Amino acid sequence: MSLRQEVTPGHLLGRVTAAFWTTHYSLGPLGAAAVTAGAAGFGVARVCLAVGAGVVCVALSGTLTGIVRAEESA
């Protein structure tokens, strides 16, 4: 969250923050419903493994951003 605030120009910060929280809160219930339905259909262990793998992929994708590369070259 602080990174988003750091890289966003001041005149756009309110709009970017509002869009972030709207997206965050609107997709949460949809994700919960999808995980619940998936657990009912495929089993809890498989769904937990898939969700965990997705979280790891998202975390690793953060290492490919331009911000990390910019710090390395400095």
Side-chain angles (χ1 to χ4, degrees):
M1 190 169 9
S2 59
L3 174 63
R4 174 181 41 82
Q5 293 172 346
E6 185 70 28
V7 299
T8 303
H11 67 282
L12 293 176
L13 188 57
R15 292 179 184 178
V16 171
T17 300
F20 171 80
W21 285 115
T22 300
T23 304
H24 177 76
Y25 283 125
S26 66
L27 295 180
L30 295 176
V35 168
T36 302
F42 299 109
V44 174
R46 285 184 181 177
V47 173
C48 285
L49 184 62
V51 169
V55 169
V56 169
C57 288
V58 169
L60 290 176
S61 71
T63 64
L64 303 175
T65 63
I67 293 170
V68 171
R69 288 183 290 212
E71 288 178 1
E72 289 175 355
S73 64

